[in-house]
Amino acid sequence: MTWVLVALGGAAGTALGVFVAQRQGRRLAWTAAVCALMGAFGAQKHSASLTALVSFGVLGSAASMVALGVAPPIWLDRGAILPTALRVTKRLAVYCAVGVTCALAGYLALRGGTTLYVKLR
């Protein structure tokens, strides 16, 4: 049953990735939001079914939007190989840095808020 939930969540995450891929100017913001949600979801204890569906399924597939955000390689001639490789590497580094930073921020925001709520209660 867990694999079915992961597959269903993956289909939803892929649909989200295709939706975001059509939005040319907002891919980085969507990637940041999805990674922040993944970090926040990782901060809490959930049932195995919910974790399979949301974390591994939807957010795991939607996080692969990083691959959609990378510039497609265009090999025109031998002189274009190095500039294209550098452009793809730079864009991938930016997407990974934003994703990791937002995942950490989401995790820390939820953990910090939970801790503050428990201490002030």
Side-chain angles (χ1 to χ4, degrees):
M1 183 65 182
T2 302
W3 289 105
V4 173
L5 291 173
V6 171
L8 289 174
T14 302
L16 179 64
V18 169
F19 171 75
V20 170
Q22 294 172 352
R23 307 281 188 259
Q24 292 296 328
R26 309 241 182 209
R27 283 189 214 160
L28 190 61
W30 277 96
T31 300
V34 167
C35 289
L37 286 173
M38 186 176 274
F41 192 85
Q44 296 296 318
K45 300 281 188 217
H46 300 289
S47 69
S49 299
L50 186 63
T51 301
L53 178 67
V54 176
S55 186
F56 297 123
V58 175
L59 295 177
S61 295
S64 66
M65 290 184 289
V66 171
L68 294 173
V70 176
I74 300 171
W75 309 111
L76 299 175
D77 61 358
R78 293 180 73 129
I81 294 173
L82 185 60
T84 301
L86 290 175
R87 188 171 60 244
V88 168
T89 302
K90 184 173 83 171
R91 187 171 287 186
L92 183 61
V94 168
Y95 271 75
C96 287
V98 167
V100 167
T101 302
C102 289
L104 180 62
Y107 177 83
L108 291 176
L110 197 59
R111 290 296 284 179
T114 304
T115 303
L116 184 64
Y117 174 77
V118 168
K119 290 197 181 264
L120 293 178
R121 191 171 50 146

Coordinates of all heavy atoms in Angstrom, one line a residue, residues 13-84:
G13 N 3.0 15.2 -7.8 CA 4.2 16.1 -7.8 C 4.7 16.3 -9.2 O 5.2 17.4 -9.5
T14 N 4.6 15.3 -10.1 CA 5.0 15.5 -11.5 C 4.1 16.5 -12.2 O 4.5 17.4 -13.0 CB 5.0 14.2 -12.2 OG1 5.9 13.3 -11.5 CG2 5.4 14.3 -13.7
A15 N 2.8 16.4 -11.9 CA 1.9 17.4 -12.5 C 2.2 18.8 -12.0 O 2.2 19.8 -12.8 CB 0.4 17.0 -12.1
L16 N 2.6 18.9 -10.7 CA 3.0 20.2 -10.2 C 4.3 20.7 -10.9 O 4.4 21.9 -11.2 CB 3.2 20.1 -8.7 CG 3.7 21.4 -8.0 CD1 2.6 22.5 -8.1 CD2 4.0 21.1 -6.5
G17 N 5.2 19.8 -11.1 CA 6.4 20.1 -11.8 C 6.2 20.6 -13.3 O 6.8 21.6 -13.7
V18 N 5.3 20.0 -13.9 CA 4.9 20.4 -15.3 C 4.2 21.8 -15.3 O 4.5 22.6 -16.1 CB 4.0 19.3 -16.0 CG1 3.4 19.9 -17.3 CG2 4.8 18.1 -16.2
F19 N 3.4 22.0 -14.3 CA 2.7 23.3 -14.2 C 3.7 24.4 -13.9 O 3.7 25.4 -14.6 CB 1.7 23.2 -13.0 CG 1.2 24.6 -12.6 CD1 0.2 25.2 -13.4 CD2 1.6 25.2 -11.5 CE1 -0.3 26.4 -13.1 CE2 1.1 26.4 -11.1 CZ 0.1 27.0 -11.9
V20 N 4.7 24.1 -13.1 CA 5.7 25.1 -12.8 C 6.7 25.3 -14.0 O 7.1 26.4 -14.3 CB 6.5 24.7 -11.5 CG1 7.8 25.6 -11.3 CG2 5.7 24.8 -10.3
A21 N 6.9 24.3 -14.7 CA 7.8 24.4 -15.9 C 7.2 25.3 -17.0 O 8.0 25.9 -17.7 CB 8.1 23.0 -16.5
Q22 N 5.9 25.4 -17.0 CA 5.3 26.3 -17.9 C 5.4 27.8 -17.5 O 5.2 28.7 -18.3 CB 3.8 25.9 -18.1 CG 3.6 24.6 -18.8 CD 2.2 24.1 -18.8 OE1 1.3 24.8 -18.2 NE2 2.0 23.0 -19.4
R23 N 5.6 28.0 -16.3 CA 5.8 29.4 -15.7 C 7.3 29.8 -15.8 O 8.0 29.4 -14.9 CB 5.3 29.5 -14.3 CG 3.9 29.0 -14.0 CD 2.9 30.0 -14.5 NE 1.6 29.7 -14.1 CZ 0.7 29.1 -14.9 NH1 1.0 28.8 -16.1 NH2 -0.5 28.9 -14.5
Q24 N 7.7 30.4 -16.8 CA 9.1 30.6 -17.1 C 9.8 31.5 -16.0 O 10.9 31.2 -15.6 CB 9.2 31.3 -18.4 CG 8.9 30.5 -19.6 CD 9.8 29.3 -19.7 OE1 10.9 29.3 -19.4 NE2 9.2 28.2 -20.2
G25 N 9.1 32.5 -15.5 CA 9.8 33.4 -14.6 C 9.8 33.0 -13.1 O 10.5 33.6 -12.3
R26 N 8.9 32.0 -12.8 CA 8.7 31.8 -11.4 C 9.3 30.4 -10.9 O 8.9 29.9 -9.8 CB 7.3 31.8 -11.0 CG 6.6 33.1 -11.5 CD 6.1 33.8 -10.4 NE 5.4 35.0 -10.9 CZ 5.3 36.1 -10.3 NH1 5.8 36.2 -9.1 NH2 4.7 37.1 -10.8
R27 N 10.1 29.8 -11.7 CA 10.5 28.4 -11.4 C 11.4 28.4 -10.1 O 11.2 27.5 -9.2 CB 11.4 27.8 -12.5 CG 10.6 27.4 -13.6 CD 11.5 26.6 -14.6 NE 11.0 26.9 -15.9 CZ 11.8 26.7 -17.0 NH1 13.0 26.3 -16.9 NH2 11.3 26.9 -18.2
L28 N 12.2 29.4 -9.9 CA 13.1 29.4 -8.7 C 12.2 29.6 -7.5 O 12.5 29.0 -6.4 CB 14.1 30.5 -8.9 CG 15.3 30.5 -7.8 CD1 16.0 29.2 -7.9 CD2 16.2 31.6 -8.0
A29 N 11.2 30.5 -7.5 CA 10.4 30.7 -6.4 C 9.6 29.4 -6.0 O 9.4 29.1 -4.8 CB 9.4 31.9 -6.7
W30 N 9.1 28.7 -7.0 CA 8.3 27.5 -6.8 C 9.2 26.4 -6.2 O 8.9 25.7 -5.3 CB 7.7 27.0 -8.1 CG 6.4 27.6 -8.4 CD1 6.2 28.7 -9.2 CD2 5.1 27.3 -7.8 NE1 4.8 29.0 -9.2 CE2 4.2 28.2 -8.4 CE3 4.7 26.3 -6.9 CZ2 2.8 28.1 -8.1 CZ3 3.3 26.3 -6.6 CH2 2.4 27.2 -7.2
T31 N 10.5 26.3 -6.7 CA 11.4 25.4 -6.2 C 11.7 25.7 -4.7 O 11.8 24.8 -3.9 CB 12.7 25.4 -7.0 OG1 12.4 25.0 -8.3 CG2 13.7 24.4 -6.4
A32 N 11.9 27.0 -4.4 CA 12.1 27.4 -3.0 C 10.9 27.0 -2.1 O 11.1 26.5 -1.0 CB 12.4 28.9 -2.9
A33 N 9.7 27.3 -2.6 CA 8.5 27.0 -1.8 C 8.4 25.4 -1.6 O 8.1 25.0 -0.4 CB 7.3 27.5 -2.5
V34 N 8.6 24.7 -2.6 CA 8.5 23.2 -2.4 C 9.6 22.7 -1.5 O 9.3 21.8 -0.6 CB 8.6 22.5 -3.8 CG1 8.8 21.0 -3.7 CG2 7.3 22.8 -4.6
C35 N 10.8 23.2 -1.6 CA 11.8 22.7 -0.7 C 11.6 23.2 0.7 O 11.9 22.4 1.7 CB 13.2 23.2 -1.2 SG 13.7 22.4 -2.7
A36 N 11.0 24.4 0.9 CA 10.7 24.8 2.3 C 9.6 23.9 2.9 O 9.6 23.6 4.1 CB 10.2 26.3 2.2
L37 N 8.6 23.6 2.1 CA 7.6 22.6 2.5 C 8.1 21.3 2.9 O 7.7 20.7 3.9 CB 6.5 22.5 1.5 CG 5.5 23.7 1.3 CD1 4.6 23.4 0.1 CD2 4.7 23.9 2.6
M38 N 9.1 20.8 2.1 CA 9.7 19.5 2.4 C 10.5 19.6 3.7 O 10.4 18.7 4.5 CB 10.6 19.1 1.2 CG 11.2 17.7 1.4 SD 12.2 17.3 0.0 CE 11.0 16.6 -1.1
G39 N 11.2 20.7 3.9 CA 11.9 20.9 5.2 C 10.9 20.9 6.4 O 11.2 20.3 7.4
A40 N 9.8 21.7 6.2 CA 8.9 21.8 7.3 C 8.2 20.5 7.5 O 7.9 20.1 8.7 CB 7.8 22.9 6.9
F41 N 7.9 19.7 6.5 CA 7.2 18.4 6.7 C 8.1 17.5 7.4 O 7.7 16.6 8.2 CB 6.8 17.9 5.3 CG 5.9 16.7 5.4 CD1 4.5 16.9 5.6 CD2 6.3 15.4 5.4 CE1 3.6 15.8 5.7 CE2 5.5 14.3 5.5 CZ 4.1 14.5 5.7
G42 N 9.4 17.6 7.1 CA 10.4 16.7 7.8 C 10.6 17.0 9.3 O 11.1 16.2 10.0
A43 N 10.1 18.1 9.7 CA 10.3 18.5 11.1 C 9.2 17.8 12.0 O 9.4 17.8 13.3 CB 10.2 20.0 11.3
Q44 N 8.2 17.3 11.5 CA 7.1 16.7 12.3 C 7.0 15.2 12.1 O 7.4 14.7 11.1 CB 5.8 17.4 11.8 CG 5.7 18.8 12.1 CD 5.7 19.2 13.6 OE1 5.1 18.5 14.4 NE2 6.5 20.2 13.9
K45 N 6.5 14.6 13.1 CA 6.2 13.2 13.0 C 4.8 12.9 12.4 O 3.8 13.5 12.9 CB 6.3 12.5 14.4 CG 7.6 12.7 15.1 CD 8.6 11.7 14.6 CE 9.8 11.8 15.4 NZ 11.0 11.7 14.7
H46 N 4.7 12.1 11.4 CA 3.5 11.8 10.8 C 3.3 10.3 10.6 O 4.3 9.6 10.8 CB 3.4 12.5 9.4 CG 3.5 14.0 9.4 ND1 2.5 14.8 9.9 CD2 4.5 14.8 9.0 CE1 2.9 16.0 9.8 NE2 4.1 16.1 9.3
S47 N 2.2 9.9 10.2 CA 2.0 8.5 10.0 C 2.8 8.1 8.7 O 3.1 8.9 7.9 CB 0.5 8.2 9.7 OG 0.0 8.8 8.5
A48 N 3.0 6.8 8.6 CA 3.8 6.3 7.5 C 3.1 6.5 6.2 O 3.7 6.8 5.1 CB 4.1 4.8 7.7
S49 N 1.7 6.4 6.2 CA 1.0 6.6 4.9 C 1.0 8.1 4.5 O 1.2 8.4 3.3 CB -0.5 6.3 5.2 OG -0.6 4.9 5.5
L50 N 0.9 9.0 5.4 CA 1.0 10.4 5.1 C 2.4 10.8 4.6 O 2.6 11.6 3.7 CB 0.5 11.3 6.2 CG 0.4 12.8 6.0 CD1 -0.6 13.1 4.9 CD2 0.1 13.5 7.3
T51 N 3.4 10.3 5.3 CA 4.8 10.5 4.9 C 5.0 10.0 3.5 O 5.7 10.7 2.6 CB 5.7 9.9 5.9 OG1 5.5 10.4 7.2 CG2 7.2 10.2 5.5
A52 N 4.6 8.8 3.2 CA 4.8 8.3 1.8 C 4.1 9.1 0.8 O 4.6 9.4 -0.3 CB 4.2 6.8 1.8
L53 N 2.9 9.5 1.0 CA 2.1 10.3 0.1 C 2.7 11.7 -0.2 O 3.0 12.1 -1.3 CB 0.6 10.4 0.5 CG -0.3 11.2 -0.4 CD1 -0.4 10.5 -1.8 CD2 -1.6 11.4 0.2
V54 N 2.9 12.4 0.9 CA 3.3 13.8 0.8 C 4.8 14.0 0.6 O 5.2 14.6 -0.3 CB 2.8 14.6 2.0 CG1 3.2 16.1 1.9 CG2 1.2 14.6 2.1
S55 N 5.5 13.5 1.5 CA 7.0 13.7 1.5 C 7.7 13.0 0.4 O 8.3 13.7 -0.4 CB 7.6 13.3 2.9 OG 9.0 13.6 2.9
F56 N 7.5 11.7 0.3 CA 8.2 11.0 -0.8 C 7.5 11.1 -2.1 O 8.2 11.2 -3.1 CB 8.3 9.5 -0.4 CG 9.2 9.2 0.8 CD1 8.6 8.6 1.9 CD2 10.5 9.7 0.9 CE1 9.4 8.3 3.0 CE2 11.2 9.5 2.0 CZ 10.7 8.8 3.1
G57 N 6.2 11.2 -2.1 CA 5.5 11.3 -3.3 C 5.4 12.7 -3.9 O 6.2 13.0 -4.9
V58 N 4.6 13.6 -3.4 CA 4.4 14.9 -3.9 C 5.6 15.8 -3.9 O 6.1 16.2 -4.9 CB 3.2 15.6 -3.2 CG1 3.0 17.0 -3.8 CG2 1.9 14.8 -3.4
L59 N 6.1 15.9 -2.7 CA 7.3 16.9 -2.5 C 8.5 16.3 -3.2 O 9.4 17.1 -3.7 CB 7.5 17.2 -1.1 CG 6.3 18.0 -0.4 CD1 6.6 18.2 1.0 CD2 6.1 19.3 -1.1
G60 N 8.7 15.0 -3.1 CA 9.9 14.4 -3.7 C 9.9 14.6 -5.2 O 11.0 14.8 -5.8
S61 N 8.8 14.4 -5.8 CA 8.7 14.6 -7.3 C 8.7 16.0 -7.7 O 9.3 16.4 -8.7 CB 7.4 14.0 -7.8 OG 7.4 12.6 -7.6
A62 N 8.1 16.9 -6.9 CA 8.1 18.3 -7.2 C 9.5 18.9 -7.0 O 9.8 19.9 -7.7 CB 7.1 19.0 -6.3
A63 N 10.3 18.3 -6.1 CA 11.6 18.9 -5.9 C 12.5 18.6 -7.1 O 13.5 19.3 -7.3 CB 12.3 18.2 -4.6
S64 N 12.1 17.6 -7.9 CA 12.9 17.4 -9.2 C 12.6 18.5 -10.2 O 13.1 18.4 -11.3 CB 12.5 16.0 -9.7 OG 11.2 16.0 -10.2
M65 N 11.9 19.5 -9.8 CA 11.8 20.7 -10.7 C 13.1 21.3 -10.9 O 13.3 22.1 -11.8 CB 10.8 21.7 -10.0 CG 9.4 21.3 -10.1 SD 8.3 22.5 -9.4 CE 8.7 22.6 -7.7
V66 N 14.1 21.0 -10.0 CA 15.4 21.5 -10.3 C 15.9 21.1 -11.6 O 16.5 21.9 -12.4 CB 16.4 21.0 -9.1 CG1 17.8 21.4 -9.5 CG2 16.0 21.6 -7.8
A67 N 15.6 19.9 -12.0 CA 16.1 19.4 -13.3 C 15.4 20.1 -14.4 O 15.9 20.4 -15.5 CB 15.8 17.9 -13.4
L68 N 14.1 20.5 -14.2 CA 13.4 21.3 -15.2 C 13.9 22.7 -15.3 O 13.7 23.3 -16.4 CB 11.9 21.3 -14.9 CG 11.2 20.0 -14.9 CD1 9.7 20.1 -14.4 CD2 11.2 19.4 -16.3
G69 N 14.5 23.2 -14.2 CA 14.9 24.6 -14.3 C 16.3 24.8 -14.9 O 16.7 25.9 -15.2
V70 N 17.0 23.7 -15.1 CA 18.3 23.8 -15.7 C 18.2 24.1 -17.2 O 17.3 23.5 -17.9 CB 19.1 22.5 -15.4 CG1 20.5 22.5 -16.1 CG2 19.3 22.3 -14.0
A71 N 19.1 25.0 -17.7 CA 19.0 25.3 -19.1 C 19.2 24.1 -20.0 O 20.1 23.3 -19.7 CB 20.1 26.3 -19.4
P72 N 18.4 23.9 -21.0 CA 18.6 22.7 -21.8 C 19.9 22.9 -22.6 O 20.2 24.0 -23.1 CB 17.4 22.7 -22.8 CG 16.9 24.1 -22.7 CD 17.3 24.7 -21.4
P73 N 20.7 21.8 -22.7 CA 22.0 21.9 -23.5 C 21.7 22.1 -25.0 O 20.9 21.4 -25.5 CB 22.7 20.6 -23.2 CG 21.6 19.7 -22.7 CD 20.5 20.5 -22.1
I74 N 22.4 23.0 -25.6 CA 22.3 23.2 -27.0 C 23.7 23.0 -27.6 O 24.6 23.8 -27.3 CB 21.8 24.6 -27.3 CG1 20.4 24.8 -26.7 CG2 21.8 24.8 -28.8 CD1 19.9 26.2 -26.8
W75 N 23.9 21.9 -28.3 CA 25.2 21.6 -28.9 C 25.2 22.1 -30.3 O 24.7 21.4 -31.2 CB 25.5 20.2 -28.8 CG 25.3 19.6 -27.4 CD1 24.3 18.7 -27.0 CD2 26.1 19.9 -26.2 NE1 24.5 18.5 -25.7 CE2 25.5 19.1 -25.2 CE3 27.2 20.7 -26.0 CZ2 26.0 19.2 -23.9 CZ3 27.7 20.7 -24.7 CH2 27.1 20.0 -23.7
L76 N 25.7 23.3 -30.6 CA 25.7 23.7 -32.0 C 27.0 23.3 -32.7 O 27.0 22.9 -33.8 CB 25.6 25.3 -32.0 CG 24.3 25.8 -31.4 CD1 24.3 27.3 -31.4 CD2 23.1 25.3 -32.2
D77 N 28.1 23.5 -32.0 CA 29.4 23.1 -32.5 C 30.3 22.8 -31.3 O 29.9 22.9 -30.2 CB 30.0 24.2 -33.4 CG 30.2 25.5 -32.8 OD1 29.9 25.6 -31.6 OD2 30.7 26.4 -33.4
R78 N 31.6 22.5 -31.6 CA 32.5 22.2 -30.6 C 32.8 23.4 -29.6 O 33.1 23.2 -28.5 CB 33.8 21.7 -31.2 CG 33.7 20.4 -31.9 CD 35.0 20.0 -32.5 NE 35.9 19.6 -31.4 CZ 36.5 18.4 -31.4 NH1 36.4 17.7 -32.5 NH2 37.3 18.1 -30.4
G79 N 32.7 24.6 -30.1 CA 32.9 25.8 -29.3 C 31.8 26.0 -28.3 O 32.0 26.8 -27.4
A80 N 30.6 25.5 -28.5 CA 29.5 25.7 -27.6 C 29.4 24.8 -26.4 O 28.6 25.0 -25.5 CB 28.2 25.6 -28.4
I81 N 30.2 23.7 -26.4 CA 30.2 22.7 -25.4 C 30.5 23.3 -24.0 O 29.8 23.2 -23.0 CB 31.1 21.5 -25.7 CG1 30.5 20.8 -26.9 CG2 31.2 20.6 -24.5 CD1 31.4 19.7 -27.4
L82 N 31.6 24.0 -23.9 CA 32.1 24.6 -22.6 C 31.2 25.7 -22.1 O 30.8 25.6 -20.9 CB 33.5 25.1 -22.7 CG 34.2 25.6 -21.4 CD1 34.2 24.4 -20.4 CD2 35.5 26.1 -21.7
P83 N 30.8 26.7 -22.9 CA 29.8 27.7 -22.4 C 28.5 27.1 -22.0 O 27.9 27.5 -20.9 CB 29.6 28.6 -23.6 CG 30.8 28.4 -24.5 CD 31.2 27.0 -24.3
T84 N 28.0 26.1 -22.7 CA 26.7 25.5 -22.3 C 26.9 24.7 -21.0 O 26.1 24.8 -20.1 CB 26.2 24.5 -23.4 OG1 26.0 25.2 -24.6 CG2 24.9 23.9 -23.0

